[in-house]
């Protein structure tokens, strides 16, 4: 490792021949015997500090891990070894995972993008149960910055304006180039706008402005901090003209498209998916000898995630990140008050039918998750240490629904739901968002006391206003019958029914 570090420091550009534990075997003629290895890259192991062929790193990882290892070895490109700063986790978790394309290269080499990413990374590394989502969000921000800079640089060069780094995008004199860059990247065929991408560009620019302003103040660069405030004022001044069309289009889509009853999932599709899930549960849980590989394990995991996500009308990423400790608390009924008694037969039935788990939400908020009885046995299997070991689950993975192949992360909720819809052969997949719209609409049409409605909104994780104005479809029947009836009587000169 020491020798390779010296080689890397002395030659940062061009081809570098590094020392390795093993070299490719050669034939008598001197050619590489395994053609698959020709031209493959050498990567650095984060655990043993060895240099390994990238194509065979998965084999190395298994031999590198000790029995009680609390971390999984990760492969790191040698291009990241130049930086000697103390940000090893950031390089391992974020920088190493970018694609090796032109934008990915910008993301790991541009000073501003790397520093901005490290600042964002430090704010998310303490959120243990949400790190997978937060890392994906951070990488999206960095790639958007890299995409902006790549196009911005081309436009500046075409106008004979010198630029050296992404910092040049945040100078007032270059704002017209930045505006033109955003238009070019978010417009197709002259008029079709990529609304989500456009708004994403706007908010990542604001995030970088805030970061640079803070850094300049810390470094005592008051003039640069003032200039950054002026750039942000220019951005806010032009916000409506640049991003207003995208914001308006998204609002219209949310109000007029997503909330239409025709866009809600069909009751028959919901029933078909439920019946398919319960049937598969029955097949998988009856034979305990099935779990000799991770195929059946991942199938059961996806089925349970899909069932809990749609049953609870939760957002796609919430049930999938349920922790083992949270499941054990639900299994032991720790959230129930022992002093409370239930006499109503229906309430007793429901208490025996559901387990209640609470997941961490934003700030101090807890997110409730009702675990229906048909999932209990499957979840006990998924949480069984021996079964998890057979399925190649990382021993220190803290999630009930883990990724396999020694990953420390949990499964993607929306991918699990999509996969189950495909296996159930539904014509149209049901998404978590559609299910939230469906549940909110059906519940709004019921005659329910206000106190119960408040509990429902608490479960959904939003207010009554959000439920009414964002999720539920307009109650068209009541609008016509009740309001229309009143206006009809008023029009006839009758104010009484």
């Amino acid at each position: 490792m020491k020798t390779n570090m010296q080689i890397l420091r002395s030659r940062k550009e061009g081809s570098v021949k590094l020392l390795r534990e093993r070299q490719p075997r050669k034939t008598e003629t001197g050619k590489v015997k395994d053609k698959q290895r020709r031209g493959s890259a050498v990567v650095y192991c984060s655990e043993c500090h060895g240099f390994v062929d990238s194509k065979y790193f998965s084999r190395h990882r298994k031999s590198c891990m000790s029995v009680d290892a609390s971390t999984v070895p990760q492969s790191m490109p040698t291009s990241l070894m130049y930086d000697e700063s103390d940000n090893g986790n950031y390089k391992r978790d974020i920088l190493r995972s970018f694609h090796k394309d032109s934008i990915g290269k910008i993301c790991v080499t541009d000073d501003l993008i790397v520093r901005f990413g490290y600042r964002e990374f430090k704010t998310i590394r303490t959120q243990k149960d949400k790190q997978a989502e937060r890392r994906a969000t951070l990488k999206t921000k960095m790639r958007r910055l890299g995409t902006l800079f790549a196009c911005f640089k081309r436009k500046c060069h075409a106008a004979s304006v010198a630029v050296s780094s992404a910092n040049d995008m945040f100078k007032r004199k270059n704002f017209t180039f930045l505006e033109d860059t955003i238009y070019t990247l978010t417009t197709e065929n002259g008029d079709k706008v990529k609304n989500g991408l456009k708004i994403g560009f706007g908010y990542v620019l604001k995030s970088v402005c805030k970061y640079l302003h803070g850094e300049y103040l810390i470094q005592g660069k008051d003039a640069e901090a003032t200039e950054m405030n002026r750039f942000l004022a220019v951005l806010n001044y032009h916000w409506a003209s640049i991003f207003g069309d995208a914001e308006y289009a998204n609002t219209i889509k949310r109000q007029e498209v997503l909330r239409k009853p025709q866009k809600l999932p069909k009751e028959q599709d919901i029933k078909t998916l439920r019946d398919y899930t319960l049937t598969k549960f029955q097949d998988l849980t009856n034979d305990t000898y099935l779990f000799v590989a991770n195929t059946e394990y991942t199938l059961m995991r996806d089925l349970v995630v899909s069932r809990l996500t749609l049953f609870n009308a939760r957002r796609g990423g919430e049930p999938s990140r349920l922790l083992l400790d949270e499941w054990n608390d639900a299994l032991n009924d720790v959230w129930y008050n022992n002093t409370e008694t239930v006499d109503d037969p229906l309430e007793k039935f429901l208490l025996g039918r559901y387990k209640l788990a609470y997941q961490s939400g934003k700030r101090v908020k807890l997110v409730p998750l009702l675990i229906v009885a048909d999932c209990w046995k499957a979840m006990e299997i998924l949480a069984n240490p021996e079964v998890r070991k057979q399925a190649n689950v990382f021993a220190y993975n803290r999630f009930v629904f883990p990724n396999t192949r020694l990953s420390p992360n949990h499964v993607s909720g929306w991918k699990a739901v999509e996969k189950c819809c495909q296996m159930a052969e539904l014509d149209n997949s049901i998404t978590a968002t559609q299910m939230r719209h469906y549940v909110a609409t059906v519940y709004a049409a019921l005659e329910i006391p206000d106190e119960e409605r408040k509990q429902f909104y608490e479960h959904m994780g939003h207010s009554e206003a959000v439920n009414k104005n964002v999720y539920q479809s307009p109650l068209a029947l009541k609008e016509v019958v009740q309001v229309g009836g009143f206006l009809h009587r008023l029009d006839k000169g009758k104010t009484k029914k």
Side-chain angles (χ1 to χ4, degrees):
M1 183 194 71
K2 292 180 179 179
T3 301
N4 284 340
M5 289 298 293
Q6 291 177 355
I7 296 174
L8 288 169
R9 292 192 192 102
S10 62
R11 295 186 62 187
K12 294 186 178 182
E13 301 294 337
S15 59
V16 177
K17 186 175 181 179
L18 301 175
L19 294 182
R20 289 171 44 191
E21 182 179 359
R22 292 182 180 178
Q23 298 292 336
R25 290 191 300 171
K26 297 181 179 180
T27 62
E28 296 178 356
T29 60
K31 295 182 178 180
V32 178
K33 187 174 184 180
D34 188 353
K35 293 183 179 179
Q36 294 292 328
R37 302 183 68 175
R38 185 177 296 167
S40 59
V42 177
V43 295
Y44 174 76
C45 177
S46 62
E47 291 301 307
C48 70
H49 309 299
F51 289 78
V52 186
D53 191 305
S54 61
K55 295 184 181 297
Y56 291 90
F57 186 81
S58 58
R59 181 194 302 175
H60 168 81
R61 180 170 59 184
K62 293 180 181 180
S63 61
C64 181
M65 283 187 64
S66 60
V67 178
D68 58 345
S70 59
T71 57
V72 179
Q74 302 289 348
S75 61
M76 297 177 61
T78 54
S79 59
L80 298 180
M81 304 309 299
Y82 304 129
D83 184 8
E84 299 181 50
S85 59
D86 186 21
N87 57 358
N89 291 336
Y90 173 56
K91 291 191 291 188
R92 182 192 64 199
D93 296 339
I94 304 297
L95 297 183
R96 75 167 188 87
S97 57
F98 280 103
H99 291 298
K100 307 303 184 294
D101 55 7
S102 59
I103 304 301
K105 184 177 180 180
I106 292 175
C107 292
V108 300
T109 57
D110 185 84
D111 184 62
L112 172 61
I113 298 177
V114 172
R115 288 188 290 112
F116 169 74
Y118 185 49
R119 173 63 183 176
E120 294 283 299
F121 176 76
K122 289 197 294 185
T123 64
I124 67 175
R125 60 185 178 185
T126 57
Q127 301 172 336
K128 301 294 185 182
D129 55 335
K130 298 182 182 180
Q131 282 191 353
E133 296 96 326
R134 297 293 186 267
R135 284 199 294 264
T137 301
L138 173 56
K139 287 176 61 180
T140 299
K141 288 182 179 181
M142 294 174 68
R143 280 198 69 90
R144 283 176 176 169
L145 276 175
T147 303
L148 276 172
F149 178 60
C151 184
F152 173 84
K153 189 176 182 179
R154 289 195 298 269
K155 290 186 177 297
C156 289
H157 284 176
S160 300
V161 176
V163 294
S164 58
S165 72
N167 260 313
D168 295 312
M169 292 194 298
F170 299 90
K171 295 179 179 179
R172 284 183 293 161
K173 64 179 182 180
N174 294 331
F175 190 83
T176 55
F177 294 111
L178 180 61
E179 183 177 4
D180 190 28
T181 296
I182 295 171
Y183 176 82
T184 300
L185 292 173
T186 58
T187 306
E188 291 181 328
N189 301 324
D191 56 353
K192 186 177 180 181
V193 179
K194 301 176 183 179
N195 299 308
L197 179 62
K198 196 172 191 178
I199 295 174
F201 281 147
Y203 284 112
V204 76
L205 288 174
K206 283 191 173 182
S207 296
V208 177
C209 288
K210 182 179 179 181
Y211 160 75
L212 286 174
H213 182 258
E215 288 297 306
Y216 288 145
L217 290 177
I218 293 173
Q219 297 169 13
K221 299 179 179 179
D222 294 344
E224 287 83 351
T226 302
E227 180 61 25
M228 186 50 56
N229 272 339
R230 291 170 180 168
F231 175 85
L232 184 58
V234 172
L235 179 63
N236 289 330
Y237 175 74
H238 287 277
W239 185 270
S241 63
I242 300 175
F243 306 102
D245 58 339
E247 290 182 326
Y248 179 76
N250 276 1
T251 301
I252 292 298
K253 182 179 179 181
R254 184 183 300 115
Q255 297 294 339
E256 297 184 357
V257 179
L258 296 179
R259 295 176 63 194
K260 285 183 177 179
Q262 292 84 356
K263 296 296 182 179
L264 299 179
K266 299 177 181 178
E267 291 186 17
Q268 183 57 45
D269 288 344
I270 297 174
K271 183 179 184 302
T272 299
L273 181 57
R274 175 186 178 276
D275 293 343
Y276 172 83
T277 300
L278 297 184
T279 301
K280 294 299 292 184
F281 278 166
Q282 189 73 17
D283 296 339
L284 292 170
T285 56
N286 282 344
D287 190 353
T288 57
Y289 295 100
L290 275 175
F291 295 92
V292 295
N294 65 6
T295 305
E296 292 79 15
Y297 185 90
T298 55
L299 174 60
M300 178 177 285
R301 176 201 64 194
D302 292 341
L303 289 168
V304 177
V305 171
S306 173
R307 173 77 169 137
L308 293 180
T309 301
L310 299 182
F311 178 83
N312 285 270
R314 295 248 65 94
R315 298 173 181 86
E318 290 175 342
S320 61
R321 59 178 173 84
L322 182 69
L323 298 175
L324 289 168
D325 291 340
E326 293 168 345
W327 160 239
N328 289 329
D329 288 345
L331 200 60
N332 297 321
D333 298 328
V334 299
W335 291 104
Y336 296 132
N337 191 339
N338 294 330
T339 61
E340 294 179 344
T341 58
V342 176
D343 298 324
D344 185 89
L346 177 59
E347 293 179 350
K348 286 184 177 180
F349 168 78
L350 292 175
L351 285 173
R353 178 68 180 166
Y354 300 102
K355 296 292 184 182
L356 178 62
Y358 279 101
Q359 300 178 261
S360 60
K362 295 180 179 178
R363 300 179 180 89
V364 296
K365 188 176 182 180
L366 292 176
V367 178
L369 181 69
L370 291 170
I371 305 174
V372 68
D374 50 52
C375 294
W376 295 354
K377 186 174 181 181
M379 292 182 67
E380 289 177 353
I381 294 175
L382 294 175
N384 186 297
E386 290 300 321
V387 174
R388 291 164 72 93
K389 183 177 180 180
Q390 292 179 10
N392 203 25
V393 175
F394 181 41
Y396 287 82
N397 192 303
R398 304 165 59 240
F399 299 102
V400 181
F401 310 113
N403 278 327
T404 54
R405 299 182 181 180
L406 301 176
S407 170
N409 300 322
H410 60 77
V411 69
S412 169
W414 73 267
K415 286 185 180 179
V417 175
E418 174 73 13
K419 181 179 178 181
C420 292
C421 290
Q422 292 175 353
M423 290 188 296
E425 298 181 351
L426 299 183
D427 294 333
N428 297 305
S429 296
I430 303 172
T431 66
T433 301
Q434 288 175 337
M435 198 66 182
R436 286 174 70 80
H437 282 279
Y438 173 78
V439 171
T441 300
V442 174
Y443 195 85
L446 301 177
E447 298 294 339
I448 295 177
D450 290 341
E451 190 61 33
E452 292 188 23
R453 287 189 182 277
K454 290 180 181 179
Q455 189 62 45
F456 172 76
Y457 301 142
E458 186 70 22
H459 171 82
M460 295 292 285
H462 54 236
S463 64
E464 180 180 2
V466 171
N467 193 81
K468 181 178 179 180
N469 298 321
V470 175
Y471 283 105
Q472 76 183 48
S473 296
L475 302 180
L477 184 61
K478 285 189 175 182
E479 175 71 21
V480 174
V481 174
Q482 296 180 2
V483 180
F486 167 74
L487 295 176
H488 175 75
R489 293 190 299 272
L490 188 63
D491 184 54
K492 296 294 184 179
K494 301 176 182 179
T495 57
K496 296 182 179 180
K497 289 185 179 181

